[in-house]
Amino acid sequence: MKECTGDLLALALHGEFDVIVHGCNCFCNMGAGIAKSIKKQFPEAYAADQTTLPADHAKLGSYSQARIQRDDRQFVILNSYTQFDWRGQGVKADYAAIRKAFAAIHKKFDGLRIAYPLIGAGLAGGDWVTIAAIIDEELDGMDHTLVRLPSN
């Protein structure tokens, strides 16, 4: 896993990555965290999320996708269903869903430059060490980068 610091969405717009993966819950709202920024800046990704069934447990470990075109730049955003809900206490990140999603991403997007935030470790409360190990295992041999937000 490579790491860099910056604005994941701006880096994609500058042509640094081919695929952005972010974690979503299964309720089709994209109302917080990076999902909220993606919804605002890339409504195509929100529209892809809206094509899925809300509150469907079967979505865990899958993703919806949107092809983004801005000027001469093109990339894909994957709304990866890595947690069922956002409400209540405790860890919301579903490690099995994260593993399943990244295994599927490996099969479909091998050879492309993939980037993601601290997926599952922010608002979902998951353990980043555990999640990073899952991502490294599932994307073994691929060009993938964790993009951390700059600290204030």
Side-chain angles (χ1 to χ4, degrees):
M1 175 182 302
K2 295 188 285 187
E3 290 191 29
C4 72
T5 301
D7 178 334
L8 175 57
L9 305 182
L11 291 168
L13 284 169
H14 285 97
E16 297 293 319
F17 304 111
D18 305 308
V19 179
I20 292 175
V21 183
H22 74 106
C24 286
N25 63 58
C26 294
F27 285 80
C28 302
N29 56 11
M30 294 178 66
I34 194 169
K36 185 175 181 179
S37 297
I38 289 171
K39 178 180 177 179
K40 181 178 179 185
Q41 194 168 350
F42 304 108
E44 305 95 319
Y46 180 62
D49 186 40
Q50 295 299 293
T51 67
T52 69
L53 185 63
D56 182 5
H57 276 94
K59 290 194 312 188
L60 283 170
S62 69
Y63 57 81
S64 57
Q65 72 181 56
R67 183 158 304 280
I68 307 299
Q69 179 79 45
R70 298 291 186 275
D71 300 321
D72 63 340
R73 304 284 188 219
Q74 189 177 100
F75 57 94
V76 173
I77 295 178
L78 302 180
N79 304 314
S80 182
Y81 301 105
T82 56
Q83 67 186 76
F84 180 69
D85 204 345
W86 74 96
R87 296 170 286 206
Q89 299 295 322
V91 174
K92 302 298 175 205
D94 183 319
Y95 300 124
I98 292 168
R99 182 173 299 283
K100 183 177 175 185
F102 277 94
I105 290 163
H106 188 145
K107 288 178 185 170
K108 183 153 184 184
F109 298 98
D110 193 14
L112 300 179
R113 299 168 300 160
I114 299 170
Y116 40 84
L118 289 166
I119 192 166
L123 297 173
D127 176 67
W128 179 247
V129 172
T130 301
I131 295 166
I134 291 168
I135 294 171
D136 272 337
E137 288 172 21
E138 296 305 330
L139 297 186
D140 185 42
M142 296 181 71
D143 182 353
H144 63 103
T145 305
L146 164 64
V147 179
R148 293 180 180 268
L149 287 172
S151 57
N152 295 337

